[in-house]
């Protein structure tokens, strides 16, 4: 598993993920409160530099997906083909996160058959912990 590149603005996202929490940056200005992702220092709506991290439900739906095939980065070529999905968060529909649809938190990237992936499918976040201890958000199909 590749580890994410962590910058100052995104560091809290990864700290929460390592604890198994999906949080999104929000403007802390009382008259604004806009959620934003990717994290950045200034609110694009009101230009405030005050922010906080709000916990999300972890529920969403598949907004889009792709199945990459070689040539790929060497660490992923052996696992191909696998899926990469874009998830629209249920409690923040304008925010979309990229990840993988897997059968469980520590399952391999290709653990869900391509035929089971559907636009609009309901998903729930799970976290896998690699060698660095960083929690990496992944997604599982929500059970009816």
């Amino acid at each position: 598993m590749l580890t994410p590149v962590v910058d100052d603005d995104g560091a809290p996202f990864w700290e929460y993920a390592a604890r198994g929490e999906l949080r999104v940056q929000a403007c802390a200005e009382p008259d604004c409160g806009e959620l934003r992702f990717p994290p950045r220092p200034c609110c694009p709506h009101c230009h405030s530099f005050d922010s906080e991290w709000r916990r999300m439900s972890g529920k969403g739906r598949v907004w889009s997906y792709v199945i990459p095939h070689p040539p790929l980065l060497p660490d992923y070529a052996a696992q191909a083909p696998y899926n990469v999905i874009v998830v629209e968060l249920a409690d923040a529909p304008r925010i979309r996160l990229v990840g993988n649809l897997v059968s469980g938190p520590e399952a391999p990237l290709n653990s869900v058959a391509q035929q089971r992936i559907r636009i609009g499918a309901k998903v729930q976040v799970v976290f896998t912990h690699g060698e660095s201890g960083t929690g990496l958000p992944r997604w599982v199909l929500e059970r009816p």
Side-chain angles (χ1 to χ4, degrees):
M1 172 172 77
L2 294 177
T3 55
V5 175
V6 179
D7 62 9
D8 290 341
D9 296 323
F13 175 85
W14 297 109
E15 290 167 15
Y16 287 117
R19 292 187 254 170
E21 296 180 26
L22 182 63
R23 291 193 180 237
V24 171
Q25 189 183 42
C27 180
E29 193 64 36
D31 293 335
C32 183
E34 283 289 323
L35 296 171
R36 60 184 186 253
F37 196 89
R40 47 196 174 267
C42 178
C43 176
H45 301 280
C46 74
H47 309 292
S48 170
F49 284 90
D50 295 330
S51 66
E52 61 189 13
W53 288 83
R54 294 198 190 141
R55 190 170 191 161
M56 301 286 106
S57 68
K59 295 180 184 292
R61 69 177 191 92
V62 175
W63 188 78
S64 185
Y65 72 95
V66 65
I67 309 295
H69 294 272
L72 298 165
L73 294 172
D75 287 347
Y76 285 104
Q79 300 177 66
Y82 57 88
N83 67 73
V84 177
I85 63 172
V86 178
V87 174
E88 177 182 75
L89 297 181
D91 34 8
R94 292 189 320 194
I95 295 186
R96 298 183 182 119
L97 303 178
V98 176
N100 305 101
L101 185 63
V102 292
S103 60
E106 303 300 331
L109 293 181
N110 58 3
S111 62
V112 173
Q114 295 176 24
Q115 308 86 286
R116 294 191 61 208
I117 304 170
R118 298 280 184 265
I119 301 294
K122 291 183 179 183
V123 292
Q124 174 71 45
V125 72
V126 294
F127 295 89
T128 187
H129 292 65
E131 298 158 12
S132 67
T134 302
L136 186 65
R138 291 175 156 190
W139 304 89
V140 295
L141 290 169
E142 195 174 279
R143 306 290 180 223

